[in-house]
Every structure is written in C-alpha cells, then in structure tokens.
Amino acid sequence: MKVTEIKDNIFWVGAIDWNIRDFHGYSTYKGTTYNAFLVKDEKIALFDTVKKTHVNDLLHHIKQLVDPTEIDYLIVNHVEMDHSGALPEIVERCKPEKIFCSKMGLKAINEHFHPEGWPLEAVENGSTISLGSKTVKFLETRMLHWPDSMFSYLQEDKLLISSDAFGQHLATSERFDDEVDFSELMEQTSKYYANILTLYSPLIRKLLAKVREMNLEIDMIAPDHGVIWRSHIGDVLQAYDNWSQNKGKRKALVIYDTMWQSTEAMAKAVTAGVSMTGVSVKLINLAMSHRSDVMTDVLNAKAVILGSSTLNNGLLPRMAGFLMYMRGLKPTNKIGAAFGSYGWSGEAVKLMNRSMEDMKFDIIEPGLRVKYVPGHSDLSECVEMGKRIGQAVIDSTEE
Ligand code: FEO
C-alpha cells in the first residue's frame, strides 16, 4: 500500500490486513488495518507498530521515507499484540534512542517481550517531548481499553493519535474518512465500540469531558485501525458521546435460538406485537448471526427480548454463549424480557431473566413459557407481550 502523508511530515506507514475475518472472537468481515505513523522532524519518531505478521509491510513503508536506523524514538501507545507484535524486530532494526510508553505500558512491555537493554522510558500523563518543530503530548487513557493505553497529541499539527479509540475494522486502500462510504464507516465504528468499548463507557464519558476541559484543538484523529478522521470528527465524537451514555434508540431486538421452531414461532409473534406499536424491531436468529453483529444491534436498541428453548434443564448453547459474551460487555440501560418453549422442566426463561438481572436490565415482564408447541392463544399472548414491551420502549425513549 502507498505511504500517505497525512500532515506535513507525518506519514501513515502501517499495514492493511485484507484477510482477517476473526479478531479474538469479533467477526471482521471487512478486514482491518494496523496503523503506524512516522514523523520526520529533527528527531524521527515512529508511533506504534503493527501485528507481527505484517512487520515486512511496515518496514517496506518506513524504508520509502528513511532508513530504519535513522528512527530515534518509538512511541508505544498500546501494547496489545496487533500494535506491538512487530516491536521486537523494529527495536532490533532501528536501535532507537528511546522507547516511550505509559507507566503501565512499561510493565506490559516487560511482561510481553521480556526485553533486555531496550531504552524504555515511561512518560507521565500530560508530559511532552519535542521532536524539533513538533511537540508530542502524552495522554494516559488507562483501561481504554487496556491498562497501558495512551494517546499521543501532536500539538502544532492538532493531530490526535488515538490508539484503538475511534477505530474501525475496515480494510481499504483509502486512508481518510471522507474517501469511504459514510454509512459503512459509521457501521464499522459502532461495531468496534459495541464489541471492544461498551464496558468502558463510564471511562469514555470521563475522557470526553476531560478532552473538552483541556480545550484540545483537534483537526485530525488517527486511530490505530481503519481510516483517519478529518472531515467527520464531530460525527464520531457525537456518536461516542451517545454510545457512552447508553442512550438506546426507539428500537427493540428479539434475539432467539430454537430447537423445533416453537420458540421461533413465539419470537415471530413477539416481533409482530412490538411492530404494532410502531417501534422498530429486528428479529435475530442466533444460528444465523454472529454474536459481534448482534452486539452492534444491542448498542443502539432500547429493548432486548431473549428467546430460548429449554435444553437439558438449561439454555440452548448458542443463547448461553451469547449471554456470556453480552454480560462481559456490560450494556446498560436496557429493557429486558424473555420467552421460550419447553417440554417438561422449562428453566430457560428463568435463566435468561437471571442473566439480564445481573446486567441490571429493567425486566418488565415475568416472561412467557409455552409447553411444546404454541397454539393460537399462546401466540396471541406473545403478541400482547410484544405490544407491552413496544409501549415501554416508547415511554422511555425520545424520538
Ligand atoms: Fe487494536 Fe487493543 O488493540
């Protein structure tokens, strides 16, 4: 891929991973990028590296600008392996004068690479280094999303290198937000937030407030994945603000798995009931949908209605797996309800309710259970439940 000058003497030198389809359990149908940035000043600095598998792409890009041995500083904003896997080879080739990272980054680098003789230097939150004409300010963003995470802000260029924040798993030949389809970009940005950042929403709210307080002038945000924001900065900041407040839209999801289509028939009837209230509703069969896509829908929905048949006194495995995934991401401020068919014991509804209680969902219905196959009156009850949930969504959202 071509090296791109994103600002005066600041270059994208990262790698495109066109083929990745699974990122530790997150489906990446559109591939991803590992962004790294080279700054040429009196000191030459490389911000982040790439996944180990892509080190040759990074080196090839760097060599179009400088000899790697000319790099003075490495800045490690985040130690997760998709950005640091190439670090040992880059350190070996560049022999940098300094490697800057956060205090927690120092620990994480030691625990990942067990380095000997690397010139590591932990920086304080808010501290600066000069590259000559350019000043880099380091902003600790602990637990966004790892303990070591930090941002680098290039003051004179008003450029925020934001590590994973504002990223998208999107492989493209284009480097900027205004060069790709906007709705695709926001879809991938929301999927990233839903599957990586949802549980850190309270910290994101604090971070956004802190950035506002600091009055940082930002005219470009360069995340470590996907395209660089230069034309839609306001849109992505607003989206993060909304998502971090868990403001659900006037939308409900009916998420289910089914053994002999009885729970599916209930799911369709609940969906019909919600739709009769005018609330937008989406029916999601877990057998056909990847959990990370379902979580993207959960991010924007107000009501999450779960259906599972009972299997061996428990849940169907796909629902159990989805619940474990969703609980880890801790979505909040949702209305919840459950339903399902059963043969003799019928624990599924109770188990789904318990899971949603743990997530502090507002469970507004005791749940509907139907023995074996739902008849007309059972389906009518499902429709009525859907209508009540739809009304609750209307009552608790602004349109
Ligand atoms: Fe893209 Fe947290 O790594």
Side-chain angles (χ1 to χ4, degrees):
M1 197 47 60
K2 82 179 161 62
V3 165
T4 306
E5 187 168 19
I6 64 166
K7 285 261 181 185
D8 199 25
N9 281 317
I10 304 176
F11 302 86
W12 176 90
V13 290
I16 317 279
D17 192 343
W18 298 96
N19 295 326
I20 188 167
R21 290 293 178 269
D22 180 280
F23 194 98
H24 57 52
Y26 169 153
S27 65
T28 47
Y29 310 121
K30 304 281 177 164
T32 195
T33 74
Y34 312 113
N35 296 337
F37 303 96
L38 187 97
V39 179
K40 283 172 77 174
D41 203 342
E42 284 164 36
K43 293 287 187 186
I44 298 177
L46 178 66
F47 290 75
D48 295 312
T49 69
V50 296
K51 199 171 171 182
K52 190 176 182 177
T53 46
H54 289 69
V55 66
N56 287 340
D57 294 343
L58 174 63
L59 282 165
H60 176 63
H61 293 151
I62 291 171
K63 284 176 185 173
Q64 292 171 44
L65 299 166
V66 295
D67 187 281
T69 56
E70 292 177 68
I71 293 175
D72 301 289
Y73 297 156
L74 298 182
I75 287 97
V76 180
N77 282 320
H78 182 25
V79 185
E80 192 165 6
M81 289 289 206
D82 50 332
H83 310 295
S84 72
L87 194 57
E89 184 162 348
I90 294 296
V91 173
E92 186 58 34
R93 297 238 190 181
C94 300
K95 304 263 185 305
E97 184 186 321
K98 294 267 186 213
I99 304 172
F100 296 104
C101 56
S102 67
K103 274 188 222 149
M104 296 304 281
L106 187 65
K107 268 170 73 85
I109 287 174
N110 284 325
E111 287 158 356
H112 277 74
F113 304 110
H114 314 285
E116 286 179 12
W118 287 14
L120 292 161
E121 185 169 318
V123 295
E124 294 289 334
N125 181 38
S127 64
T128 57
I129 59 167
S130 173
L131 302 179
S133 67
K134 297 179 190 294
T135 312
V136 185
K137 187 178 189 118
F138 298 109
L139 304 170
E140 243 188 280
T141 56
R142 202 177 280 203
M143 291 320 298
L144 286 176
H145 69 122
W146 273 26
D148 55 270
S149 301
M150 67 175 188
F151 291 173
S152 297
Y153 175 63
L154 278 85
Q155 286 179 179
E156 293 78 7
D157 296 282
K158 301 177 187 171
L159 166 66
L160 185 68
I161 298 178
S162 62
S163 189
D164 281 327
F166 310 113
Q168 334 93 46
H169 284 313
L170 185 60
T172 56
S173 56
E174 294 78 17
R175 295 278 66 79
F176 292 104
D177 56 352
D178 47 30
E179 298 173 326
V180 298
D181 180 76
F182 183 67
S183 61
E184 168 82 275
L185 172 61
M186 292 312 289
E187 174 67 20
Q188 295 304 329
T189 305
S190 69
K191 184 169 181 177
Y192 196 94
Y193 189 100
N195 287 278
I196 305 280
L197 297 171
T198 297
L199 73 163
Y200 303 114
S201 290
L203 293 174
I204 288 171
R205 279 205 295 283
K206 278 189 197 158
L207 177 71
L208 292 173
K210 197 165 95 184
V211 168
R212 275 194 289 268
E213 222 173 79
M214 288 169 78
N215 265 331
L216 281 190
E217 284 186 89
I218 299 172
D219 69 14
M220 189 176 283
I221 298 177
D224 275 357
H225 296 289
V227 295
I228 295 160
W229 300 91
R230 67 178 176 189
S231 295
H232 297 290
I233 291 174
D235 293 306
V236 73
L237 289 175
Q238 184 62 55
Y240 265 54
D241 198 36
N242 291 343
W243 293 327
S244 67
Q245 291 180 60
N246 294 293
K247 273 189 193 166
K249 292 188 179 160
R250 193 164 277 187
K251 177 179 165 187
L253 306 175
V254 179
I255 304 168
Y256 74 100
D257 197 4
T258 191
M259 192 187 298
W260 291 108
Q261 284 63 58
S262 289
T263 300
E264 182 169 68
M266 296 175 77
K268 286 178 179 170
V270 173
T271 303
V274 176
S275 135
M276 285 171 198
T277 64
V279 167
S280 174
V281 57
K282 185 169 179 182
L283 181 65
I284 300 173
N285 182 345
L286 286 174
M288 311 294 168
S289 312
H290 193 278
R291 60 183 167 270
S292 53
D293 292 318
V294 182
M295 271 314 298
T296 311
D297 280 317
V298 169
L299 179 67
N300 287 312
K302 184 65 192 174
V304 176
I305 312 166
L306 300 175
S308 173
S309 325
T310 297
L311 175 72
N312 300 332
N313 307 111
L315 296 167
L316 285 173
R318 274 187 288 257
M319 177 55 76
F322 173 69
L323 279 172
M324 175 170 279
Y325 187 68
M326 180 160 69
R327 283 172 63 163
L329 286 164
K330 296 188 173 66
T332 57
N333 202 18
K334 307 286 180 202
I335 290 170
F339 63 90
S341 77
Y342 68 102
W344 45 97
S345 59
E347 289 90 343
V349 166
K350 182 178 71 188
L351 292 170
M352 289 183 283
N353 277 342
R354 194 181 294 158
S355 238
M356 289 190 285
E357 276 162 20
D358 289 347
M359 288 183 278
K360 304 205 170 12
F361 285 15
D362 183 12
I363 300 173
I364 60 167
E365 293 277 328
L368 276 181
R369 300 188 318 151
V370 168
K371 196 163 185 189
Y372 290 120
V373 178
H376 178 69
S377 66
D378 299 314
L379 293 175
S380 299
E381 271 193 60
C382 292
V383 170
E384 291 307 313
M385 184 171 93
K387 283 188 196 169
R388 290 192 296 275
I389 296 168
Q391 190 55 50
V393 170
I394 291 169
D395 294 343
S396 59
T397 51
E398 296 160 11
E399 195 66 333

